[in-house]
Amino acid sequence: MNGQTAIVTGGGRGIGRTIAEFLAQRGVNVVIVGVNIDIAHNASSELEKLGIKSIAVKADVSNAPDVNNIFERALREFGRVEILINNAGITKDGLLLRMREEDWDTVININLKGTFLCSREAVKVMSKQRYGRIINIASVIAFTGNPGQVNYGASKAGIVGLTKTIAKEYASRNITVNAVAPGFIMTAMTETIPENIKQDMINAIPLGRFGVPEDVANAVIFLASTEASYITGQVIHINGGMYM
Ligand code: NAP
């Protein structure tokens, strides 16, 4: 992977940041994408200390012109893009009857449409290269459902369908497309869960703990590597056994 270029959406913090670090440790130049440019810049500067080149791009992944700009900047800087990690994602929870249409739209737009827009740009570049790795971050919730997350669960289930479809469309161009489905991973997204509920959740996890971003990054790095060249259209579950 040394010398390749990766785009990591939401690479400024949480799971995306750890994925970006793991890529940088393997000599990959990284484009960090986020809405908060200070967070993205900070991550980029830290990554450069590992001896690679990194740029930060401010972009809302649900906005097509922003997404075009990510790829323009990446190509101007690095000339190629071998790896796309569609990691940017949010939650806006609420039970179905109380879910505001606006919260449905926002979650679907960022999580699902964002993955579509970034993948659409990526395959243009990767098709010309005859090489590419797209890794999408889904969720265990796509498979189990979760009360209060109708928008999030639908967005992540959508990502699974999108992954398999793009995998079939672009296999002939040597582009593999896979997803990982994390369970509960300790980041800002999960830190607001009340302690008593956290304990109930841990009790339901056979391995007896929440995951850490490194658990997800290890699987993503494998899928991004040449060792995974015969794997496409798959979902790797990273959940401590809570869903089998
Ligand atoms: P997080 O700590 O809240 O980080 C979310 C990241 O997404 C941030 O870097 C944020 O950028 C970026 N982002 C949000 N909206 C964006 C937009 N419109 N355009 C571009 N970037 C945007 O979340 P996380 O826990 O690391 O989650 C990362 C991914 O893993 C998400 O897709 C999430 O659904 C998935 N996941 C997480 C868990 C878990 O338990 N944590 C489990 C399963 C799946 P800024 O820094 O600029 O705000």
Side-chain angles (χ1 to χ4, degrees), residues 88-99:
I90 61 158
T91 53
K92 280 192 182 291
D93 297 350
L95 293 168
L96 176 59
L97 270 180
R98 289 193 219 126
M99 175 148 304

Side-chain angles (χ1 to χ4, degrees), residues 4 14 32-34 46 56 60 129 131 133 186 203 212 235:
Q4 292 188 352
I32 299 283
V33 177
E46 288 296 315
D60 172 356
Q129 297 168 177
Y131 181 89
R133 294 272 185 274
M186 287 191 289
N203 292 343
V212 290
V235 181

